[in-house]
Amino acid sequence: MTGFVAGSFTLTATDGTARAGVLHTAHGDVATPAFMPVGTKGTVKGVDPHELRALGASIVLGNAYHLHFRPGEELIAELGGLHAFSAWDGPILTDSGGFQVFSLRDTLLESDDDGVTFRSVYDGRAERFTPELAARIQERLGSDIAMCLDICAPAGVPRADLEQAVRRTTLWAQRQRELPRAPGQLRFAITQGGLDTELRMRSSEELVPLDFDGYAIGGLSVGEARAPMFEATADAASFLPADKPRYFMGIGDPEGVIEVVSRGIDMFDCVLPTRTARTGSALTWEGRLNLRNARFARDPGPLDEGCACPACARFTRAYIRHLVNQEEILGLRLLSLHNLRFVIDLVAAARKAIERGAFETWRGDALTRLTRQPLET
């Protein structure tokens, strides 16, 4: 586009607190709200990059923690960076690895102002991440968006622990702000504070003046109840600048996606669509369907009426149930394609509703449809 500036974010429409926009990156534009399929180890499990494009995905997520250990950022850099290595030519966001370090509590050894020491999940060896190393790994990976290393505190910890997470996350962000980046690479800071409104405000007040390219809301969807989580999301989003993208880390269920979009979130990721698929379940407007259930044995219909994914366009529920129950890889692949398409289409519909000023009506109708039947497990 004329006058392209990597990293610029254009807000194109608002409807209440819901937002539509465009994030410009070195590997293309991302229309927001945007769902990012998770390719933790350099691949969205079971899905080819060309299939991701056909499903409507515009950006994917990779994880610095796992790629650092297997196969290593230097090897990936030698082979042209993560885009060339994974054969995905669109935008990539890389998580710093902080969530893995702090969520895998049994591997955590110690954390201090310099960094964090933990045991690798691969071989049990003591390893150390610092803000500088997290930035270096992502520079070598060559992602379009690099996340700052942060402290992700679990739900229910004492306030003193949340205060420490906020203080250290700010300290580390200050050190990462001016570190070398890959060409055109954006850097997002992560706000912390759990469900504490005052700490959320403090975290934002410390990070926003550093003028990062975007801001993530971390430390939510980590075990807390849903209603207070959504309240905290609204508060956290309100403390962030309107002209920068806002990223909720780790949400991907249909109802959750709608709720965070309604609170001003622009980007989000989650393994839920593909992980749910690998359990044999489909996300649909009828709720979550467990295809192992006998009631689908003779069902000639598609997984979801009106869905244009490869699974729905060509195969019946009965056939996919057969594949799943016989542990055929094709069944799990088809469910993965469908679940990703379902969430991507849902987000695209939310964007269109925002653009025409009808988001609240669309939201109410969508939530009613999604919750009209109990979810199957």
Side-chain angles (χ1 to χ4, degrees):
M1 61 181 287
T2 304
F4 167 78
V5 178
S8 61
F9 177 71
T10 306
L11 192 61
T12 58
T14 60
D15 188 359
T17 51
R19 297 148 47 100
V22 182
L23 174 63
H24 310 290
T25 80
H27 283 84
D29 288 353
V30 178
T32 62
F35 173 72
M36 297 182 284
V38 175
T40 300
K41 299 179 181 180
T43 176
V44 176
K45 291 187 186 300
V47 182
D48 181 277
H50 291 300
E51 292 175 315
L52 282 175
R53 280 291 192 193
L55 294 173
S58 59
I59 180 172
V60 299
L61 181 146
N63 185 264
Y65 178 104
H66 293 287
L67 294 171
H68 171 64
F69 290 116
R70 302 287 191 278
E73 66 273 13
E74 295 303 332
L75 185 149
I76 292 174
E78 177 186 330
L79 295 173
L82 189 54
H83 294 86
F85 188 64
S86 64
W88 169 260
D89 62 0
I92 298 175
L93 180 148
T94 45
D95 189 355
S96 69
F99 177 77
Q100 283 68 34
V101 169
F102 290 99
S103 63
L104 300 171
R105 307 297 291 182
D106 292 341
T107 71
L108 183 63
L109 297 178
E110 65 174 351
S111 176
D112 53 48
D113 284 358
D114 179 64
V116 58
T117 303
F118 58 96
R119 294 197 181 280
S120 165
V121 295
Y122 290 97
D123 57 19
R125 293 182 182 179
E127 301 283 352
R128 187 162 178 82
F129 269 15
T130 64
E132 290 76 13
L133 178 58
R136 169 67 178 173
I137 293 168
Q138 294 178 87
E139 177 198 12
R140 299 301 286 156
L141 294 175
S143 57
D144 297 271
I145 303 170
M147 303 303 299
C148 287
L149 185 67
D150 66 319
I151 292 184
C152 181
V157 299
R159 192 173 195 271
D161 289 357
L162 291 177
E163 289 178 324
Q164 180 76 289
V166 168
R167 186 186 71 81
R168 229 167 238 168
T169 294
T170 297
L171 177 66
W172 292 354
Q174 290 168 338
R175 285 161 52 187
Q176 290 166 96
R177 180 65 183 86
E178 299 303 330
L179 291 176
R181 315 182 189 195
Q185 189 176 61
L186 314 179
R187 186 167 285 149
F188 284 17
I190 304 173
T191 65
Q192 290 292 338
L195 300 176
D196 190 300
T197 301
E198 190 274 328
L199 289 179
R200 282 284 168 191
M201 181 182 295
R202 182 191 305 178
S203 184
S204 297
E205 288 175 345
E206 292 173 353
L207 292 172
V208 169
L210 297 175
D211 194 28
F212 282 89
D213 299 298
Y215 295 90
I217 297 171
L220 294 178
S221 194
V222 291
E224 70 281 355
R226 297 274 277 187
M229 180 188 78
F230 292 136
E231 269 185 54
T233 301
D235 288 340
S238 71
F239 301 142
L240 296 175
D243 62 346
K244 299 289 181 73
R246 303 165 180 168
Y247 165 28
F248 186 109
M249 306 182 78
I251 197 162
D253 67 285
E255 297 90 342
V257 163
I258 292 170
E259 294 293 4
V260 297
V261 168
S262 76
R263 289 160 173 82
I265 299 301
D266 305 303
M267 305 163 62
F268 28 88
D269 74 284
C270 194
V271 297
L272 184 142
T274 48
R275 181 173 288 172
T276 299
R278 295 195 301 277
T279 70
S281 294
L283 304 176
T284 78
W285 286 106
E286 295 178 35
R288 194 176 304 178
L289 305 183
N290 180 356
L291 270 295
R292 299 182 189 277
N293 194 304
R295 74 184 179 95
F296 300 115
R298 291 177 172 79
D299 193 328
L303 292 173
D304 199 49
E305 290 290 345
C307 178
C309 80
C312 292
R314 300 177 59 197
F315 303 105
T316 65
R317 291 177 174 183
Y319 179 63
I320 294 174
R321 176 184 183 274
H322 161 71
L323 295 177
V324 169
N325 283 339
Q326 295 306 308
E327 299 184 354
E328 289 288 344
I329 293 172
L330 177 60
L332 305 186
R333 270 189 25 83
L334 289 173
L335 286 171
S336 295
L337 294 171
H338 168 76
N339 286 353
L340 287 169
R341 179 65 180 263
F342 186 83
V343 176
I344 289 168
D345 282 355
L346 182 76
V347 174
R351 177 186 171 87
K352 290 178 181 177
I354 294 167
E355 290 175 332
R356 65 175 184 268
F359 178 76
E360 279 305 311
T361 299
W362 176 86
R363 172 176 174 256
D365 291 344
L367 290 174
T368 298
R369 291 181 66 189
L370 288 167
T371 59
R372 66 186 173 188
Q373 295 185 17
L375 297 183
E376 293 189 11
T377 58

